[in-house]
Amino acid sequence: MSELPGWVHSYSGKVRDLYVPEGATGLDDAEAVLVVASDRVSAFDHVLSPGIPGKGELLTALSLWWFDQLADGPNHLVPDHELRHEGADDRVVERIPAAVSGRSMLVKPLDMFPIECVVRGYLTGSGWAEYQASRSVCGIPLPDGLSNGDRLPEPLYTPAWKAPLGEHDENISFERTVELVGPEIAEELRRLSLEVYSRASAIAEQRGVIIADTKFEFGADRATGEITLADEVLTSDSSRYWDAQVYATAPTAETRMASFDKQIVRDWLAANWDKTGTPPELPAEIVERTTARYRELLERLTGA
C-alpha cells in the first residue's frame, strides 16, 4: 500500500483504500478519512485482474459530481473551509496528497449502517431471474407480463445486508432492516433512498441516460446523529446505467440495455467462468471497452 504524507493506511476494501491522519489510532477516532479509489475492478464478489486504467479518477469525478447535484441533503464530504491546520501539537487534517489527487475524497467518519440501500427502477439482473421464477423481486410481488429490462411500475427498495469482506452480501426484507437498525432509521433509509434515486433519475434522463438500479450507503453523523449519504454515490460501479436512445429504439429486449457500467465485465465473466476457483484474467479488449464506457458516461452526465 502506498505511503501518503500525513496519512496512515487503515483499511482496504475490494476497490477502495481508506487512510486516517497521522496520530489517529484508526477509523474510530479519526477527524477525517481519505477515501482513495483504485483501478481495481470487482464482480461476483471477486477482485479481478487486470484493473481498469483510470477507473479511480473517472469514478471519483462522477461521485463528486453527483454529490454536488444532491448538495441540499447531508453527505460525508468535508468542505474545504472545515479543513484544519492548527499546528504541530494538534491533530492536523491534511488536504488530499498530490499522489492521489483526482482519485480521492476527504470525508467525515460516520457510524455506517450495515445496509446496502438498493433501489431498482427497471427489471434486470438478479431481479429478472427471480421474476421469471416467482413473479417477484426480493419477495415483492410484481404483475405478470414484464420482460427483461422493463421499467417497473414504481421503483422498488430492496435492501441488502453488507457482508464482511470476503463474504457475499445478502438480500434481506424490510422487516429484517428494522431488526438491524430499528424502525425509525429503517423507514428513513427507505425514504431517502427512493427520494435520491428519483431525483438522480430525472437528472440523468435529461442527459439521455437511464439509471436502471443503484445502491446507496448511509451512516450516522457522530456529532449530530443525522443520517448522511456516504461512500461512492451513483457511480458506474454502484449503478446500472443505460443509453436512453438505444433503450427506446433497439429491436430486442436484450440489445436495448446498452450499458455504461461494468456490466461488460460481468457479462464476459459470466460467459467464461463457472464462479469456482480463481476468476480468469480479463482480456485487453474487455478492459478497453469498459474504460471507454466509463469515460463516455462521465462526459454524458457532466459535460466534462
Side-chain angles (χ1 to χ4, degrees), residues 15 37-42 48-60 102-103 236-237 262 265 282-296 298:
V15 297
S38 73
D39 290 344
R40 300 189 297 270
V41 63
S42 69
L48 310 177
S49 180
I52 306 297
K55 172 177 173 283
E57 288 89 345
L58 292 168
L59 267 60
T60 297
R103 62 168 62 236
S236 316
D237 269 13
K262 66 177 180 181
V265 171
L282 298 174
E285 185 262 342
I286 295 297
V287 171
E288 291 166 5
R289 283 175 54 201
T290 304
T291 302
R293 291 299 272 175
Y294 278 9
R295 189 175 302 279
E296 183 181 353
L298 180 66

Side-chain angles (χ1 to χ4, degrees), residues 43 55 81-82 102 108 121 129-130 168 183 227 257 261 264 279-280 300 302:
K55 172 177 173 283
H81 67 269
E82 291 186 8
K108 296 184 293 186
E130 180 184 337
H168 294 282
I227 296 178
M257 294 179 284
D261 50 63
I264 296 168
R300 277 273 193 106
T302 71

